[in-house]
Amino acid sequence: MQGGNFSSATEFILIGFSTFPHLQLMFFLLFLLMYLFTLLGNLLIMATVWREHSLHTPMYLFLCALSISEILYTFAVIPRMLADLLSNDHSIALRACASQMFFSFMFGFTHSFLLTVMGYDRYVAICHPLRYNMLMSLQGCACLVVWSWAGGSVIGLVVTIAIFQLTFCGSNEIHHFVCHVQALLKLACGENVSILAMGLGLVCITALLGCCLLILLSYAFIVAAILRIPSAEGRHKAFSTCVSHLTVVIEHYGFASVIYLKPKGPQSLEIDTLMGITYTVLTPFLSPIIFSLRNKELKIAMKKTFLSKL
């Protein structure tokens, strides 16, 4: 199906990596390996926490929820991207496009909310250790996880409904490898498109910045509490429990800021495509590596659970 003008969209064409015709096979192999490693890393984390009773704590419950959100997020985006890299037919039905947008936003923002909850967990553990068991009860932790998923679902639903109630009357070519909001807004027509774009941008940026500010506030109290610990060994031990989470937060919001806060202006298709890789492939790929290598308890438990049986 060739791109053209039409009044009622029934399908779109994902341009994606067609601007790199000689690199598509290399991209396919690279992204396939990264995807499989992402799945394996998150499944190993979940299996380790499940089998190691010493890890049955709120922090690792949140980590398992985070791993599930990453697995589902990558499943919503990457298999379709891999298929397009090997196929000449890049068309996607309107409903499939809407589904991909909903699930990618849902799981993406669930990830942000869970990172915020994990920051609160570290704040309670370090600043209020005597009240930790009361504040972070099993029921309380389950509620925080449920609310994180509910928040992600609401944002995914709001964004998807807002986008797909628009009329698409331009070209049917989406200049991205996923059903991206900005790319779809360029295909829409009507007087309310610019207002809707501003509204959706405000919702997404407010949610991301709100999560980021709550995490920063948590770590401000954490740093103040750590500095009051008299011994250097105590300070190091307290801070070491936060390193993996803090690293993932910096990585997650660093890449998100590049995408959502980049200055508006003419961008080439190649640059937009390559920037999209950072949050669809690279971020989920790095997260399990960081948690596995920077979390001492998890690293020891993984060696005990899996390597001891080899």
Side-chain angles (χ1 to χ4, degrees):
M1 177 180 176
Q2 298 300 317
N5 294 326
F6 54 98
S7 58
S8 180
T10 57
E11 65 178 10
F12 298 102
I13 298 174
L14 296 170
I15 299 300
F17 295 97
S18 58
T19 52
F20 304 96
H22 303 297
L23 299 175
Q24 289 192 27
L25 181 59
M26 185 193 75
F27 280 145
F28 173 81
L29 295 174
L30 176 63
F31 297 154
L32 176 62
L33 288 174
M34 293 176 75
Y35 177 54
L36 293 176
F37 193 92
T38 300
L39 292 179
L40 178 62
N42 283 299
L43 289 172
L44 282 175
I45 288 173
M46 293 164 62
T48 302
V49 173
W50 176 266
R51 298 188 62 170
E52 187 61 42
H53 292 287
S54 64
L55 299 182
H56 290 181
T57 62
M59 180 172 74
Y60 293 103
L61 167 67
F62 298 139
L63 180 56
C64 283
L66 194 74
S67 293
I68 292 171
S69 73
E70 284 197 337
I71 289 173
L72 294 175
Y73 173 78
T74 53
F75 183 73
V77 175
I78 297 181
R80 168 74 205 204
M81 182 180 71
L82 293 174
D84 283 344
L85 282 168
L86 293 182
S87 173
N88 292 323
D89 181 14
H90 298 163
S91 62
I92 181 171
L94 185 142
R95 289 187 179 182
C97 189
S99 297
Q100 186 188 67
M101 179 177 290
F102 169 70
F103 287 117
S104 63
F105 268 85
M106 173 188 173
F107 300 132
F109 276 92
T110 297
H111 190 276
S112 295
F113 296 144
L114 287 171
L115 285 176
T116 307
V117 168
M118 292 174 77
Y120 173 71
D121 172 75
R122 292 298 83 207
Y123 158 74
V124 175
I126 293 173
C127 299
H128 303 284
L130 298 180
R131 301 173 60 195
Y132 183 78
N133 290 332
M134 180 185 71
L135 293 173
M136 303 303 294
S137 63
L138 180 61
Q139 183 179 2
C141 292
C143 285
L144 288 172
V145 172
V146 169
W147 279 111
S148 296
W149 283 85
S153 301
V154 168
I155 291 184
L157 201 59
V158 167
V159 171
T160 305
I161 290 175
I163 289 296
F164 285 90
Q165 57 85 32
L166 292 171
T167 300
F168 299 101
C169 54
S171 169
N172 64 336
E173 294 182 345
I174 298 177
H175 286 240
H176 212 282
F177 53 85
V178 294
C179 289
H180 192 260
V181 169
Q182 292 297 328
L184 279 165
L185 284 171
K186 292 177 182 178
L187 307 183
C189 58
E191 296 179 356
N192 62 338
V193 174
S194 59
I195 297 173
L196 182 68
M198 289 178 61
L200 290 178
L202 187 63
V203 168
C204 294
I205 291 173
T206 299
L208 285 173
L209 288 181
C211 290
C212 187
L213 288 174
L214 287 173
I215 293 172
L216 288 174
L217 186 62
S218 296
Y219 274 101
F221 285 113
I222 287 171
V223 170
I226 289 176
L227 292 176
R228 289 196 296 267
I229 298 175
S231 67
E233 183 181 354
R235 290 193 296 270
H236 179 267
K237 185 177 180 181
F239 186 71
S240 65
T241 64
C242 306
V243 170
S244 58
H245 174 256
L246 187 58
T247 306
V248 169
V249 165
I250 293 171
E251 169 227 358
H252 177 76
Y253 285 99
F255 287 138
S257 65
V258 169
I259 302 302
Y260 288 102
L261 302 179
K262 65 180 180 180
K264 301 295 181 182
Q267 295 263 3
S268 71
L269 174 58
E270 290 83 358
I271 292 176
D272 282 341
T273 301
L274 293 175
M275 287 178 69
I277 295 170
T278 59
Y279 63 89
T280 54
V281 182
L282 188 58
T283 299
F285 171 75
L286 291 175
S287 291
I289 297 175
I290 293 168
F291 277 116
S292 300
L293 296 180
R294 301 296 298 174
N295 188 303
K296 188 177 180 181
E297 278 186 321
L298 185 61
K299 186 161 60 173
I300 292 171
M302 280 184 168
K303 290 179 180 178
K304 178 183 174 183
T305 304
F306 298 105
L307 296 182
S308 62
K309 297 183 178 180
L310 296 178

